[in-house]
Amino acid sequence: MGMTLTEKILAKAAGRSSVKPGDIVEASIDLAMLHDALGSLTFPIVRDLGIRIWDSDKVVVAIDHAAPPSSLGHAEWVADTIRFAREYKIRHFYNMQGVAHQIIPEEGLVRPGMVAVGTDSHTCTYGALGAFATGIGSTEMAWVLAKGSLWFRVPATIKVVVDGSLPARVMAKDVMLKVLSVLGVNGATYKALEFTGEAIRRMSMDGRLALCNMAVETGAKNGIVEPDEVTWSYLKERYCGPMEPVSPDEDAVYDRVIRIDASGLSPMLACPHSPGNVVPVNEVAGTKVDQVVIGTCTGGRMEDFRAAAEIIRGRKVPPFVRCLVIPASAKIYRQLLEENLIKVFLDAGCVMCNPQCGPCAGLHYGLLAPGEVCVGTHNRNFMGRMGSPLAQVYLASAATAAAAAVTGKIVDPRDM
Amino acid sequence: MKMLRGKVLAKFGNDISTDDMASSKYVTSATPEALGKICMRDVDPDFPKKMAEGGFIVAGTNFGCGSSREWAPVALKAAGTKAVIAEEIARIFYRNALNLGLPVIEIPGITKNANVGDELEIDLESGSVKNLTTGVALKGIPTPEFLTKIMEAGGLVEFLKIDLAKSRGK
């Protein structure tokens, strides 16, 4: 029996010739990511148990959540993260240089066929590069640091075929919102999403990262894209070691196949209070907006900012609206500078923030008051996550968010 | 593992997230006491009061969706939760809860068959529940054997301690 992409990677990492959904395997880990917020629960365990890290070169530590800290409690996480990185000689340590989920792909640290885990549910982002990547708890991370392996139940795979090509101002984020409208927030619980089809092959790495980032929002264990020319050319500039292709078998068995025609897609929004509460933008057009966020590990990459700038250029953010622009990494920030896009955003009255997670996790930087409405390019709009439980949060593409920023209301970016 | 017996003290619908259990905006300290006090604040401000005597939560699908934060099971435990019986449990939360010694079990049909005040008996190993108040018995998803071992050891940290001691003793 053939294997899906996820099954193949897990079989190899477990030293087995084949696996099937439901098997429990012990897989060796190629990459382990910890950040200041949830790594801060791992560090004391590592110290208390006297754990010797199995391979510190396979460990990435990033300060991206409380970056910089806005309270004494957060300052303690950050201080302890720095202490840990020093004590354990972590070479891949990034102190407020952006979100780990952008830095890791950007630095070529995740590659096809790898098994990656992180103390963050959006670790599934790295599937864009053809890796098996998933979020784990802080205590499990202590286990990984000690043993270099972890148990997984092999997930059944849902194949998501996206045919055709995306119309203008319809982005990868819209594809994922469409997937969420089909699967709902638990349609893929314990499963893998394997993205394939013409529109995926044409999609940039930025788009693929956005797509896989939100796999967890369907309940999935991981999202993954088969490595192709886009993958190799992205990695060629970032990694010079050997890399091997990995692909699903032709006779792989899928739990379910979903087909989406990209050509027929329109801009979508996830309405309050669920990423699965998805409608086409025209259904909520006219809704007044108080805050716009363009950034985060979902929608803070160059493709997003170029799309946003195209709409924002020459326009103004109304004085009663705030628009936060948060590059996902310092490299992206620099690229914005080089492409003169920071000027576009500043001229419009946007607020340029430093690279970090932003208000998405509700830690700081743009929390919402009762009754306020936000359109953001991030991945979750659970009630109260980003501030008051009485605030309303809509998830959208960078193009739709930019259109909201300069009009102060939800509008179809194709009408701009 | 032995059977657990307790009273249902709170009941929730679908999609209760780890943000609901431990909202970042209220997490000022990672101590269990502090987390217990803010647990479920946005969805049910009286939750810690309801759970004070110690008992079970019954919930719908996708319980524990979202963030991988371990504050969530810590907060539930600190508030008095002895076990969670849900229609379906989100995967990262499922692992975290068992790793931290909070029994969680998936029992399809539980929301129709258990209410606040009912006395339940649950068996993690076989994945079954008996409602002692109504007499209804339900079968759900059994817990993998090695996970019950982790629970028996008192959680993953204790399990890892034993494992490390063994390998160091070699």
Side-chain angles (χ1 to χ4, degrees), chain A residues 34 36 59-64 67 81 85 90-100 103-104 106-109:
Chain A
L34 300 90
D36 53 315
V59 178
V60 176
V61 173
I63 295 171
D64 59 5
T81 308
I90 306 297
R91 189 159 61 93
H92 302 299
F93 172 54
Y94 300 94
N95 192 353
M96 304 189 200
Q97 296 303 299
V99 188
I103 293 172
I104 285 175
E106 198 175 73
E107 294 297 320
L109 294 172

Side-chain angles (χ1 to χ4, degrees), chain A residues 123-191:
Chain A
T123 302
C124 55
T125 309
Y126 320 149
L129 289 121
F132 170 84
T134 194
I136 63 170
S138 307
T139 304
E140 281 197 324
M141 183 53 84
W143 176 278
V144 168
L145 294 181
K147 317 280 282 186
S149 66
L150 189 64
W151 72 271
F152 296 101
R153 191 166 83 185
V154 177
T157 300
I158 297 175
K159 188 173 176 174
V160 181
V161 187
V162 189
D163 295 313
S165 62
L166 287 171
R169 292 196 172 161
V170 178
M171 304 184 68
K173 177 66 168 277
D174 297 305
V175 175
M176 195 55 209
L177 290 173
K178 177 69 188 178
V179 171
L180 270 153
S181 78
V182 175
L183 285 173
V185 288
N186 62 342
T189 299
Y190 303 120
K191 292 176 183 166

Side-chain angles (χ1 to χ4, degrees), chain A residues 34-49:
Chain A
L34 300 90
H35 58 60
D36 53 315
L38 299 176
S40 64
L41 302 171
T42 310
F43 308 143
I45 304 173
V46 173
R47 294 188 187 105
D48 289 352
L49 270 55

Side-chain angles (χ1 to χ4, degrees), chain A residues 4-64:
Chain A
T4 69
L5 208 43
T6 296
E7 287 159 10
K8 265 195 165 168
I9 295 171
L10 286 176
K12 193 175 176 203
R16 289 167 58 158
S17 56
S18 74
V19 295
K20 58 180 191 315
D23 287 354
I24 289 178
V25 298
E26 181 89 14
S28 55
I29 302 296
D30 301 303
L31 184 76
M33 184 280 289
L34 300 90
H35 58 60
D36 53 315
L38 299 176
S40 64
L41 302 171
T42 310
F43 308 143
I45 304 173
V46 173
R47 294 188 187 105
D48 289 352
L49 270 55
I51 288 171
R52 286 176 55 193
I53 296 181
W54 99 103
D55 186 346
S56 59
D57 277 353
K58 289 181 176 162
V59 178
V60 176
V61 173
I63 295 171
D64 59 5

Side-chain angles (χ1 to χ4, degrees), chain A residues 185 270-278 381-383 393 395, chain B residues 15:
Chain A
V185 288
C271 301
H273 296 290
S274 167
N277 190 13
V278 175
N381 59 344
F382 300 154
M383 185 185 75
V393 180
L395 309 176
Chain B
D15 305 325

Side-chain angles (χ1 to χ4, degrees), chain A residues 134 139 147 151 190 384 387, chain B residues 25 70 89 91 95 99 163:
Chain A
T134 194
T139 304
K147 317 280 282 186
W151 72 271
Y190 303 120
Chain B
K25 61 184 182 285
E70 281 186 359
I89 298 168
R91 64 164 287 276
R95 295 174 73 126
N99 285 337
D163 185 278

